[in-house]
Amino acid sequence: MTEVAILDGGRSLRLRAGKRSARFHAIWLRDNARDGETRSPQNGQRLIAVQDLPAATAVSAAEIRSGRLHVTFSPEGRTLDYEIPWLFGNAYDRPPPVREGWTGPQIETWERDSMPALPYARFETLRADSAALREWLERLIRYGVGRVGEGPVRVGALLEVVDLFGFVRETNYGRHFEVRAEVNPINLAFTGLGLPAHSDNPYRDPVPSVQVLYCLESSAAGGESRVVDGFRVAERLRDENREWFGLLSRYCARFEYAGQPGVVLRSRRPMIELAPDGELLAVRFNNRSMAAIRDVPYDEMEAYYAAYRRFGELAEDPQLGVEFSLSPGECFVIDNTRVLHARHAYSGAGRRWLQGCYADKDGILSTFAALSAGDSKDTP
Ligand code: FE2
């Protein structure tokens, strides 16, 4: 049984269905009408701007009929109807979040003991089976990392992995780049040195939000990969020392890369990026490309460095990271705004050859949403 009641002289209404109850404002309802004059029937895009609606928009009548909510708005005098599940699915009548660094229900942070095996699928399965692709993408979104195995061992195969969910982001390193020991490398990644946990390219704005690292050869000793949930690192820091978490989220760090002629990439962003309501949006962490920090007040710089150090210690904590080796034809995909990656040093006989490329998360989220039944048709 669904009931509706007009509140505040028509400024809002309350919808009740069983135990569910939510209030909606008249202006919100009017703006979100789904009729053909408000939204394009072809592509779902909104045809009106908010300033086209009367500022004094109010509900003059409301009723439930044929399982839908019918609302008459004044002063327009129009009656528009709404799907009740859509309204409850988009309800906003709840207390604002109070905990800084919160994450949505689609995300689950992890550490070594809670992540016995990284999400995995065979390349051909992902290519041939859209249900398997959808499931793998869901886990990639949930954990920020996924592996793909039994792929082709050929140059550029990583681009075929990106084709599964999105588009390559070309950069000054190329459409894709080689990760192997080089003479006179333009980046320390292209050596046999070990690399502490980091996110890639924090000096770009916007930062590439997905990275794929694909193995073509792996006969060298060492070179194991490690991934760490940077969101879990941020949560641990918050729970240990709220002030330190605040410093890394409140003040911007600076990142720079100028290791190649004609390239000077700089960004000014916090190591822990929060939405205005405290949602954890991104971490940026990379010792190689940190520039001089100059946006932290003098009186807080020492504490900022203590917080920065602690973040780095947590990122290296063996309890947090998951280690694995890549064989030829295997790759891993990471949310580069969340999951940090590291590698052990490698040397001696044998070869280690990975190819890497960047892409963006919107492709992953879009492909997942399109493969999921009943997803929202709202568009920007
Ligand atoms: Fe990297």
Side-chain angles (χ1 to χ4, degrees):
M1 173 76 177
T2 307
E3 296 172 1
V4 61
I6 297 175
L7 309 175
D8 299 331
R11 285 171 58 196
S12 61
L13 58 75
R14 181 190 299 281
L15 200 58
R16 262 189 228 282
K19 288 183 183 159
R20 301 165 83 185
S21 170
R23 294 170 297 172
F24 299 91
H25 290 96
I27 189 68
W28 187 97
L29 287 166
R30 178 61 191 87
D31 188 43
N32 285 294
R34 317 292 287 184
D35 64 292
E37 288 174 37
T38 306
R39 290 209 179 239
S40 162
Q42 283 78 40
N43 57 37
Q45 292 206 294
R46 191 182 268 97
L47 298 164
I48 57 160
V50 69
Q51 63 270 26
D52 297 334
L53 300 173
T57 291
V59 174
S60 57
E63 63 171 330
I64 309 292
R65 196 164 13 101
S66 308
R68 296 172 73 86
L69 172 67
H70 294 255
V71 182
T72 304
F73 292 95
S74 64
E76 289 181 280
R78 296 188 63 194
T79 301
L80 300 164
D81 62 292
Y82 300 82
E83 288 177 14
I84 287 161
W86 186 91
L87 287 169
F88 279 120
N90 287 279
Y92 55 90
D93 188 7
R94 59 177 170 269
V98 289
R99 188 171 171 78
E100 280 214 313
W102 62 274
T103 51
Q106 75 285 5
I107 280 177
E108 201 175 311
T109 65
W110 49 268
E111 50 194 71
R112 190 187 60 190
D113 289 348
S114 62
M115 176 61 86
L118 299 173
Y120 174 87
R122 289 176 63 248
F123 176 72
E124 281 306 329
T125 305
L126 294 178
R127 209 148 67 160
D129 180 348
S130 61
L133 176 60
R134 182 193 171 281
E135 190 200 339
W136 182 78
L137 289 172
E138 181 173 28
R139 291 187 293 156
L140 178 58
I141 293 164
R142 179 163 300 282
Y143 302 113
V145 57
R147 293 180 68 180
V148 181
E150 298 180 50
V153 183
R154 60 169 174 258
V155 167
L158 77 175
L159 304 177
E160 296 173 56
V161 173
V162 175
D163 284 343
L164 294 167
F165 57 73
F167 303 92
V168 169
R169 165 106 74 100
E170 192 165 350
T171 70
N172 55 295
Y173 300 122
R175 194 162 156 70
H176 62 82
F177 47 87
E178 311 298 332
V179 186
R180 57 182 166 189
E182 291 179 1
V183 180
N184 298 324
I186 59 165
N187 191 303
L188 291 174
F190 310 151
T191 68
L193 292 174
L195 299 174
H198 63 279
S199 61
D200 259 38
N201 293 198
Y203 39 77
R204 291 184 204 284
D205 186 5
V207 74
S209 47
V210 171
Q211 179 172 200
V212 180
L213 280 167
Y214 197 104
C215 179
L216 292 177
E217 278 188 278
S218 68
S219 55
E224 294 86 0
S225 298
R226 183 165 57 87
V227 287
V228 182
D229 188 352
F231 280 10
R232 177 57 70 94
V233 172
E235 288 174 342
R236 287 276 290 264
L237 184 70
R238 176 196 63 195
D239 297 344
E240 278 184 23
N241 190 320
R242 182 163 286 270
E243 177 53 24
W244 284 357
F245 178 86
L247 286 166
L248 296 191
S249 57
R250 201 161 59 241
Y251 295 115
C252 282
R254 289 187 186 243
F255 302 94
E256 180 173 313
Y257 172 81
Q260 205 181 342
V263 177
V264 181
L265 290 159
R266 290 181 179 138
S267 75
R268 174 184 177 275
R269 284 286 182 276
M271 288 192 217
I272 299 173
E273 185 178 357
L274 302 179
D277 62 3
E279 183 189 11
L280 197 45
L281 290 182
V283 295
R284 291 175 180 77
F285 196 77
N286 191 318
N287 65 303
R288 282 170 287 145
S289 53
M290 280 289 283
I293 300 165
R294 56 177 197 258
D295 301 277
V296 179
Y298 178 87
D299 288 344
E300 298 195 274
M301 186 60 91
E302 282 185 324
Y304 184 91
Y305 259 87
Y308 173 25
R309 171 191 298 271
R310 186 61 189 143
F311 192 104
E313 286 171 354
L314 287 166
E316 295 303 314
D317 184 337
Q319 281 200 327
L320 268 78
V322 172
E323 276 191 26
F324 57 94
S325 299
L326 288 176
S327 302
E330 287 186 340
C331 75
F332 67 101
V333 182
I334 48 173
D335 175 347
N336 187 51
T337 65
R338 170 180 171 187
V339 170
L340 310 178
H341 59 288
R343 75 149 188 248
H344 290 297
Y346 65 97
S347 62
R351 288 156 61 92
R352 180 183 189 272
W353 179 17
L354 268 53
Q355 291 193 315
C357 73
Y358 300 114
D360 282 300
K361 254 165 74 171
D362 59 351
I364 289 174
L365 296 168
S366 166
T367 305
F368 173 69
L371 290 171
S372 302
D375 55 294
S376 165
K377 289 282 194 302
D378 269 350
T379 51

